[in-house]
């Protein structure tokens, strides 16, 4: 497995979403699966990338910040440019959208569907598959329903194959573009399914597998293949979100496990912390190293001093805890003196007030990039 990441719109999970005005998508990764057997070499390339129009999700201390589509009138143009570039490089494209049909994700899905409709053709297909609704958190075997929708496309556009003499006997003439919100967890599960189906057809073509055989009939090879894709997904996820991929236990073991569910919970909490209190600085580092921000060194320039986002949040959180503690103390003593009841109400009001202030001004308490401002 080889992953090649586009460097035109790299960044961290919540600070690089969607596409830029030139059509370059965030977290755009080309994954190539290469197999060699009996002197033959076969490969299959598929891609993932954020929904290719202008949208963002600015962290604000909530677990799921709201999604905002920017410059709606340009969505179709940006998306068309993105798919034009894909067609020049890969040929035909089937776009698989795995986000929810309703809610905040549903708004992005509808914008994607409306924007891609004018360019749909024999060479550009769009398939929406509500992963959470159909598969839930444990029934990932239902991805077979998605495969049934794209099987004809995969067979038509084939894969790359060299024979024993090094001559090309098959050519891949199209690719699968998969996305969810992050293009990490649901995407990796789906891409591993597509990769497995392609590999089985390649091995059947070479006579390594029988016409009706599957990889699952060979436990040792099956286990190695699952680990390959799980490690692949973890590497991409760690770079974009700071943690290994969620749902990785299904890719790694073929089923959901209790340990995997606990790992997902831990990684989800870690992502929350990193998104809100660390990724802004990381985004600055990426923009600086990639040349998106050019620094001008001067001894006369003073770096403005201000408390860090995490430091400010810690202070506010500490005030809430102190107010809550004094409220509890006052309530316990209110039985003997009603003045303590009044004091408890005052502390409760203070606790609620600070909490509401943090909630209302959540973005001020987050670690935000300071070098490079998004062009949209």
């Amino acid at each position: 497995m080889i992953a090649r990441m586009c460097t035109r719109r790299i960044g961290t999970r919540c600070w690089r979403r969607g596409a830029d005005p030139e059509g370059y998508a965030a977290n755009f990764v080309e994954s190539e699966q290469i197999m060699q057997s009996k002197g033959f070499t076969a490969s299959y390339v598929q891609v993932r990338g954020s929904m290719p129009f202008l949208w963002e999700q600015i962290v604000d201390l909530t677990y799921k910040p709201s999604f905002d589509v920017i410059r709606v009138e340009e969505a179709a143009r940006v998306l068309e440019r993105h798919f034009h570039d894909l067609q020049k490089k890969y040929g035909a494209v089937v776009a698989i959208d795995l986000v929810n049909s309703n809610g905040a994700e549903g708004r992005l899905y509808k914008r994607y569907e409306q924007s891609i409709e004018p360019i749909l053709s024999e060479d550009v297909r769009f398939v929406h598959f509500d992963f959470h609704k159909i598969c839930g958190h444990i029934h990932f075997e239902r991805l077979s329903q998605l495969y049934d929708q794209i099987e004809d496309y995969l067979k038509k556009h084939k894969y790359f194959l060299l024979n024993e003499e090094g001559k090309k006997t098959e050519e891949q003439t199209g690719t699968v573009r998969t996305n969810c919100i992050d293009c990490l967890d649901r995407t990796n599960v789906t891409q591993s399914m597509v990769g497995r189906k392609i590999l089985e057809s390649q091995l059947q073509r070479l006579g390594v597998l029988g016409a009706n055989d599957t990889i699952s009939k060979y436990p040792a090879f099956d286990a190695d293949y699952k680990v390959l894709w799980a490690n692949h997904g973890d590497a991409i996820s760690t770079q974009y979100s700071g943690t290994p991929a969620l749902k990785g236990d299904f890719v790694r073991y073929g089923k959901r496990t209790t340990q995997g569910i606990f790992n997902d919970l831990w990684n989800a909490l870690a992502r929350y912390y990193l998104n809100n209190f660390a990724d802004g600085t990381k985004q600055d580092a990426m923009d600086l190293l990639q040349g998106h921000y050019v620094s001008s060194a001067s001894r006369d320039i003073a770096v403005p001093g201000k408390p860090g986002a995490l430091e400010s949040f810690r202070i506010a959180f500490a005030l809430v805890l102190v107010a809550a503690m004094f409220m509890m103390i006052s309530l316990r003593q209110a039985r003997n003196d009603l003045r303590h009841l009044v004091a408890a109400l005052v502390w409760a009001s203070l606790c609620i007030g600070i909490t509401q202030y943090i909630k209302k001004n959540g973005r001020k308490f987050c670690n935000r990039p300071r070098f490079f401002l998004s062009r949209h």
Side-chain angles (χ1 to χ4, degrees), residues 172-188:
Q172 182 180 343
T173 58
T175 191
V176 178
R177 186 199 191 279
T178 309
N179 77 268
C180 47
I181 291 297
D182 301 326
C183 305
L184 298 177
D185 312 318
R186 289 172 278 184
T187 294
N188 205 61

Side-chain angles (χ1 to χ4, degrees), residues 125 147-158:
R125 289 175 55 181
Y147 178 72
D148 291 341
Q149 297 181 58
I150 63 172
E151 182 179 9
D152 62 325
Y153 172 89
L154 296 178
K155 290 182 177 179
K156 177 181 178 181
H157 294 287
K158 304 179 182 178

Side-chain angles (χ1 to χ4, degrees), residues 89-145:
K89 187 170 185 179
Y90 303 106
V93 182
V94 58
I96 299 177
D97 181 31
L98 302 171
V99 304
N100 300 342
S101 301
N102 301 311
E105 291 189 12
R107 289 190 290 107
L108 291 180
Y109 149 59
K110 290 179 175 62
R111 175 54 52 196
Y112 194 0
E113 183 181 45
Q114 292 170 9
S115 300
I116 200 174
E117 186 176 1
I119 64 170
L120 293 179
S121 65
E122 189 68 24
D123 290 334
V124 178
R125 289 175 55 181
F126 178 75
V127 177
H128 177 68
F129 184 82
D130 191 328
F131 189 99
H132 285 152
K133 181 179 180 180
I134 298 172
C135 298
H137 295 287
I138 57 175
H139 297 293
F140 296 162
E141 71 280 357
R142 294 176 183 170
L143 276 171
S144 60
Q145 298 177 31

Side-chain angles (χ1 to χ4, degrees), residues 2 15 71 98 105 115 141 148 155 236 268 319 329 332:
I2 299 176
W15 292 112
R71 287 153 49 183
L98 302 171
E105 291 189 12
S115 300
E141 71 280 357
D148 291 341
K155 290 182 177 179
I236 296 172
L319 289 175
I329 293 173
R332 287 186 176 182

